[in-house]
C-alpha cells in the first residue's frame, strides 16, 4: 500500500475548485486556470493556476497538459514539461502554465487545463569522462527504425 504525503497548499482564488483526484482514474491531479484567458492564434500567455504548495522534502512536481487540452482549448504547453522545484515553496510562488494558442481560443476560470504529480528527486549524479563507453553499441540514432 502506498504511503500518504501531506502537502501544504495555498489558493490564490476562490473561483477555482479545490484540488482533488478525479474519479480515482489516475493519480495525476488536474490543475485549473485561475483566470479567464482570451488568446488569438499564435499568442503566448503564462496562465496562473491559482495555487502554491510546499512540496514534501525530497520531491519535485511535474506539470504536463491533459490529453484533451489541445482538443478543448487549442493550446500547446510551451515548455512541454513543467518542473516545480522543491525550493519553489513560498507565499508568492504561484504555479503557472506557459501556453501558446494554435487557434483563437478562450479558456475560462476553473477550466482543467493541465495536470501534475510529484516525483522524488533523482540521485546525485557524478560524471566520469571516458573515451569509450562500456555499454553495447546500438549503432546510433535511428539505426533500427528503417523497416
Ligand atoms: O511550468 C512551469 C515551470 C516552472 N514553474 C515555476 C516553478 C519552478 O520551480 C520555477 C522555475 O522553473 P525553471 O527552473 O524551470 O525555470 P527557469 O527558466 O530556469 O527560471 P528560474 O531562473 O526561475 O529558475 O518556476 C511554473 O510555475 N510552471
Amino acid at each position: 500500500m502506498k504511503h500518504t504525503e501531506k502537502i501544504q497548499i495555498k489558493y490564490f482564488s476562490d473561483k477555482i475548485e479545490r484540488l482533488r483526484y478525479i474519479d480515482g482514474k489516475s493519480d495525476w491531479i488536474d490543475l485549473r486556470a485561475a483566470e479567464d484567458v482570451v488568446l488569438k492564434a499564435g499568442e503566448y500567455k503564462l496562465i496562473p493556476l491559482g495555487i502554491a504548495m510546499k512540496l514534501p522534502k525530497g520531491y519535485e512536481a511535474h506539470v504536463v497538459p491533459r490529453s484533451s487540452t489541445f482538443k478543448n482549448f487549442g493550446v500547446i504547453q510551451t515548455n512541454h514539461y513543467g518542473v516545480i522545484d522543491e525550493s519553489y515553496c513560498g507565499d508568492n510562488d504561484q504555479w503557472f502554465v506557459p501556453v501558446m494558442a494554435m487557434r483563437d481560443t478562450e479558456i475560462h476560470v476553473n477550466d482543467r487545463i493541465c495536470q501534475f504529480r510529484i516525483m522524488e528527486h533523482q540521485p546525485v549524479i557524478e560524471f566520469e569522462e571516458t573515451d569509450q563507453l562500456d555499454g553495447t553499441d546500438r549503432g546510433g540514432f535511428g539505426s533500427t527504425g528503417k523497416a
Side-chain angles (χ1 to χ4, degrees), residues 60-76:
E60 63 199 45
H62 297 162
V63 177
V64 299
R66 299 176 66 207
S67 305
S68 53
T69 295
F70 186 75
K71 174 171 63 78
N72 289 339
F73 305 109
V75 296
I76 284 180

Side-chain angles (χ1 to χ4, degrees), residues 63 77 79 82-85 88 94-98:
V63 177
Q77 186 173 331
N79 57 354
V83 178
I84 311 290
D85 302 298
Y88 196 77
Q94 179 174 195
W95 295 20
F96 285 79
V97 63

